[in-house]
DNA sequence: GCGGAAATTATTCAACCGTATAATAACGCC
DNA sequence: GGCGTTATTATACGGTTGAATAATTTCCGC
């Protein structure tokens, strides 16, 4: 009848572990299967601990959604270089891991299916998605200006919608059936298609030179 | 303590009502909230009735997924006319109701998030999604041939991936934020983009002349 | 500084209440 | 009377709770 031994996690670490375990559970078992007990099991703690770190399970899930969106949001501003390089980088980074893989799609679908139900998730969603297409539209306007082919806002908007749609759709295809594509196939298709839509060359596929 | 009166539903009708109520509940409350009680309430019957028509709740949900996929699958073969008209119709029908709306996205996301978890749903999924891009690739090959610009299979595949991605992505955008777009805006963007990708004119936006 | 007692708090544990699905009994229309 | 439908029950599992306890930090006399 001895109590199970445990170790006290350092400052803030356990909270992070619980959020990660929440995402793992949702990706693996769906929202229905991501019970407090299941999540605690994955995190290697007992269920009661969840409410030591979060006001409720729902709040923990909401925090987990924030984390997902922050890894998805490859902000335009995070890409360096001239207008062309920035658009290339934006497209490329949105179509490769960790943004594009099966786990991401599972998580994304799980949360999207709840956005219409849960007002708190809806607020997080709105916040996270606002600006994604605006970033892209800004990149496109910059590029057209730099190439000496400036266009009005309406045309930039149409281009941004089309290219954004293509990125989203290729992301979907990559997540749903990533094993059917070569490593860089989707990215090069996206770049070539963006060229066709813009009527501009974007240059060769950028190699990933991140130091990280 | 009198028992509530009821009426016998005609042959097969009740079953269909229950499936519709299942989809309505999933769209409105998510998979978690789509309980047998909730579904029965929406259908105007009591919970016990479900097991009279289905072996279990899971089986009812699976049947509901079959219905969703059948309304999504706008088969290429269902569109008439020459190669250009068929491609136009394929794009147009996939980007307007009932395929494209918020409810469809909620349902789609709910099921997609479960496909990796539930083997039965996975089987239904595989069956339903196979062939969508193949249909599109066939349409593209036909069109290029008809226009006297035939291409090899590899090139047709690339074009099909890109255009399919764009359709999926615009579908997503339309579902997520349909109120931000004009009625036919997404369709015309898709058609113009397909023209740019193919390097071919597709002609004016087709009016819906369905007799149905 | 240093060992150990006292305070703190992270974690476990067992039980609670609500609600889910499944199963079965009771009922009433055809 | 038979079958479709409802009402009731059984069983299981969900999130949450508060008391008990182990791990860590703080404090204090030396």
């Amino acid at each position: 009848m001895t109590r199970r031994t445990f170790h006290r996690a350092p400052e803030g670490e356990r909270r992070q572990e619980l959020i990660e375990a929440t995402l793992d559970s949702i990706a693996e078992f769906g929202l229905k299967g991501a019970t407090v007990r299941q999540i605690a099991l994955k995190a290697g703690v007992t269920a009661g601990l969840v409410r030591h770190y979060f006001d409720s399970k729902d709040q923990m899930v909401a925090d987990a959604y924030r984390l997902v969106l922050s890894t998805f949001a490859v902000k335009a501003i995070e890409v360096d270089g001239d207008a062309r390089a920035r658009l290339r980088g934006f497209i490329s980074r949105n179509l490769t891991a960790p943004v594009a893989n099966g786990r991401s799609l599972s998580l994304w679908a799980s949360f999207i299916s709840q956005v219409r139900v849960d007002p708190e998730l809806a607020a997080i969603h709105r916040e996270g998605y606002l600006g994604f297409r605006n970033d892209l539209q800004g990149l496109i306007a910059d590029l057209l200006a730099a190439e000496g082919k400036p266009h009005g806002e309406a045309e930039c908007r149409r281009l941004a919608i089309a290219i954004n749609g293509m990125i989203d759709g290729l992301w979907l295809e990559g997540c749903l059936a990533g094993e059917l594509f070569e490593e860089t196939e989707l990215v090069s298709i996206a770049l070539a298609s963006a060229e066709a839509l813009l009527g501009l060359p974007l240059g060769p596929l950028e190699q990933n030179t991140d130091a990280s």
Side-chain angles (χ1 to χ4, degrees), chain A:
Chain A
M1 222 36 174
T2 170
R3 200 167 248 252
R4 152 184 174 186
T5 75
F6 59 90
H7 86 280
R8 289 164 93 103
E11 175 76 16
E13 212 169 85
R14 181 118 296 165
R15 195 186 157 88
Q16 195 61 26
E17 286 171 10
L18 282 170
I19 290 179
E20 292 288 352
T22 301
L23 293 180
D24 285 345
S25 294
I26 292 174
E28 192 168 348
F29 308 110
L31 270 176
K32 247 191 324 195
T35 68
V36 168
R37 286 178 172 84
Q38 172 59 47
I39 292 166
L41 180 68
K42 214 176 258 288
V45 297
T46 52
L49 190 60
V50 162
R51 284 202 25 90
H52 187 73
Y53 286 96
F54 301 91
D55 288 347
S56 68
K57 182 208 174 190
D58 285 348
Q59 202 218 306
M60 180 169 67
V61 171
D63 284 350
Y65 189 35
R66 283 196 189 85
L67 180 61
V68 169
L69 288 184
S70 75
T71 70
F72 278 13
V74 178
K75 291 286 189 342
I77 204 169
E78 291 169 7
V79 186
D80 292 333
D82 61 14
R84 269 178 27 180
R86 281 163 65 217
L87 182 56
R88 279 205 310 268
F90 186 82
I91 291 174
S92 172
R93 290 177 63 174
N94 274 295
L95 290 178
T96 50
V99 176
N101 55 42
R103 180 175 184 271
S104 290
L105 175 62
S106 288
L107 291 174
W108 180 86
S110 293
F111 285 116
I112 283 291
S113 72
Q114 282 296 302
V115 160
R116 300 183 129 221
V117 179
D118 185 330
E120 169 140 21
L121 286 188
I124 299 168
H125 171 82
R126 225 175 303 119
E127 194 180 326
Y129 273 72
L130 260 175
F132 185 95
R133 198 176 70 219
N134 280 343
D135 285 354
L136 179 59
Q137 186 168 334
L139 282 177
I140 289 170
D142 287 354
L143 176 60
L144 291 175
E147 298 285 333
K149 299 175 66 175
H151 285 81
E153 189 178 337
E155 179 61 13
C156 285
R157 175 169 179 272
R158 280 177 67 89
L159 286 170
I161 291 172
I163 293 177
N164 183 38
M166 204 191 51
I167 293 173
D168 286 353
L170 290 179
W171 172 79
L172 250 184
E173 288 195 67
C175 293
L176 274 171
E179 68 282 358
L180 296 182
F181 300 103
E182 298 296 326
E183 174 69 21
T184 58
E185 191 176 14
L186 283 179
V187 176
S188 63
I189 288 176
L191 290 173
S193 303
E195 288 179 345
L197 291 171
L198 289 167
L200 276 179
L202 286 178
L205 178 58
E206 174 184 62
Q207 292 307 310
N208 191 350
T209 56
D210 273 358
S212 60

